[in-house]
């Protein structure tokens, strides 16, 4: 008896993908995910440092957030292909479109982050600077997490299947990155909130990722194997090492604090690139499109019996 045709073994005609993988360039869009998270969470920490009398850390985070959002916008525009496409997206305000809302969010957050950084560096217009700092802090969490909504709004199984957990994972990853930046750039006497932030980020990221794996079922293998698996394992190792270094030695040694901060930043980079790689892998394998549908049918059948 001969083996069946490719469709019988791969759940699609000739083993071809059932859905089209996003045409996003990995370095542009995964970098956009990371830089937006660093900018948004950095603005929240900057506002906290501003309010609690940590001027050096506040200034450094405001400048790094401006740099990050500028690079983030550049990465997005580069992926779009032509700079004119970004302002064209602002011709429409569509609340149901994450891409439309993201474009408007960048347009609102960028000037606020710029004003906060400029007034902090120059010392001019302190009241205006405080208002800009507050505005950036309000918009920051949305900027740090909306890219998770953008990814989950697609048909990509590894993203859409984790649509509830992905924003929490991105929020925790962004917090780890911002805490790392604060540890790298701030003095020891001001880094206590960053060290606590690293702990919260590490715990939150692990919890969100485990919850996403449970919800994804068989599709979770895309986060464990191949390039995505290597990146996610590196992310967990770097985040754990950075958190441990920050807690144990971050208040004693400037070198230890900076090293821990770099580990946290690298861990956040690996998380964003790992999530991106898992999504592409899940879209390219037809089994990850058909499998979850069959699992859902089986669950409904079991419940109805």
């Amino acid at each position: 008896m001969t083996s069946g045709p490719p469709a019988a073994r791969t759940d699609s005609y000739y083993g071809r993908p059932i859905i089209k993988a996003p045409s996003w360039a990995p370095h542009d869009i995964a970098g956009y995910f990371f830089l937006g998270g660093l900018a948004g969470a950095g603005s929240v920490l900057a506002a906290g440092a501003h309010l609690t009398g940590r001027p050096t850390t506040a200034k450094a985070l405001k400048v790094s957030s401006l740099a990050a959002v500028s690079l983030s916008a550049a990465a997005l525009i580069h992926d779009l292909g032509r700079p004119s496409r970004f302002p064209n997206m602002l011709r429409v305000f569509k609340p149901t479109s994450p891409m439309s809302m993201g474009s408007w969010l960048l347009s609102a957050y960028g000037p606020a982050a710029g004003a906060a950084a400029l007034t902090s560096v120059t010392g001019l217009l302190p009241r205006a600077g405080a208002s800009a700092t507050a505005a950036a802090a309000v918009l920051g969490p949305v900027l740090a997490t909306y890219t998770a909504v953008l990814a989950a709004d697609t048909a990509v199984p590894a993203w859409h299947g984790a649509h509830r957990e992905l924003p929490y994972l991105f929020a925790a990853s962004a917090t780890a990155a911002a805490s790392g930046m604060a540890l790298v750039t701030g003095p020891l006497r001001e880094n206590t909130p960053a060290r606590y932030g690293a702990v919260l980020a590490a715990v939150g990221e692990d919890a969100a990722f485990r919850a996403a794996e449970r919800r994804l079922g068989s599709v979770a293998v895309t986060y464990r194997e191949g390039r995505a698996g290597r990146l996610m394992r590196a992310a967990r190792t770097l985040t754990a090492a950075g958190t441990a270094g920050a807690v144990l030695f971050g208040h004693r040694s400037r070198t230890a604090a900076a090293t821990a901060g770099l580990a946290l930043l690298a861990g956040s980079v690996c998380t964003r690139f790992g999530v991106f790689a898992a999504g592409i892998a899940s879209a390219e394998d037809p089994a990850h499109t058909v499998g979850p549908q069959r699992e859902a049918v089986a669950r409904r059948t079991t419940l109805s019996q």
Side-chain angles (χ1 to χ4, degrees):
M1 183 169 145
T2 60
S3 61
R9 295 192 304 270
T10 61
D11 298 311
S12 71
Y13 290 108
Y14 306 107
R16 295 175 64 86
I18 295 174
I19 63 173
K20 187 174 187 281
S23 58
W24 299 336
H27 288 86
D28 285 339
I29 299 305
Y32 172 62
F33 289 174
F34 164 71
L35 291 165
L38 173 60
S43 287
V44 176
L45 289 187
H50 180 91
L51 290 172
T52 56
R54 294 176 169 86
T56 304
T57 299
K59 182 188 297 185
L61 287 174
K62 290 174 188 179
V63 172
S64 70
S65 289
L66 175 59
V69 76
S70 299
L71 291 172
S72 177
L76 175 61
I77 291 170
H78 184 266
D79 186 74
L80 291 172
R82 291 200 303 268
S84 61
R85 288 178 176 172
F86 181 78
N88 283 342
M89 290 194 295
L90 300 178
R91 297 170 62 183
V92 176
F93 186 85
K94 190 175 181 181
T96 58
S97 168
M99 181 62 78
S100 175
M101 291 296 95
S103 301
W104 281 99
L105 177 61
L106 277 174
S107 299
Y109 172 85
L118 183 62
T119 55
S120 181
V121 169
T122 63
L124 300 174
L125 303 174
R127 290 186 178 179
S131 298
T133 298
V138 169
L139 296 173
V142 186
L143 180 67
T145 56
Y146 103 87
T147 47
V149 179
L150 174 65
D153 196 48
T154 67
V156 174
W159 298 341
H160 184 73
H163 64 279
R164 294 183 180 177
E165 295 80 14
L166 211 55
Y168 294 102
L169 179 64
F170 274 34
S173 176
T175 302
S179 298
M181 183 61 73
L183 288 166
V184 170
T185 58
L188 293 180
R189 65 181 181 277
E190 295 182 4
N191 74 10
T192 299
R195 291 189 287 113
Y196 289 154
V199 174
L200 292 174
V203 173
E205 188 170 340
D206 183 69
F209 183 65
R210 290 178 184 275
E213 284 188 309
R214 288 193 296 271
R215 185 178 299 277
L216 285 169
S218 61
V219 180
V221 72
T222 58
Y223 285 93
R224 304 189 194 111
E225 296 182 348
R227 175 176 170 79
R230 292 190 296 273
L231 285 166
M232 296 306 290
R233 286 190 293 274
R236 289 195 293 271
T237 300
L238 288 164
T239 301
T243 301
V247 171
L248 298 175
F249 308 110
H251 60 297
R252 300 177 182 176
S253 165
R254 186 73 189 83
T255 301
T259 301
L262 290 173
L264 289 166
L265 284 163
S268 182
V269 171
C270 289
T271 295
R272 302 308 176 103
F273 276 78
V275 169
F276 186 90
I280 299 302
S282 71
E284 291 176 345
D285 188 339
H288 295 314
T289 302
V290 176
Q293 296 174 350
R294 290 178 173 171
E295 291 172 2
V297 171
R299 285 195 299 270
R300 287 196 296 269
T301 301
T302 301
L303 291 173
S304 64
Q305 291 177 347

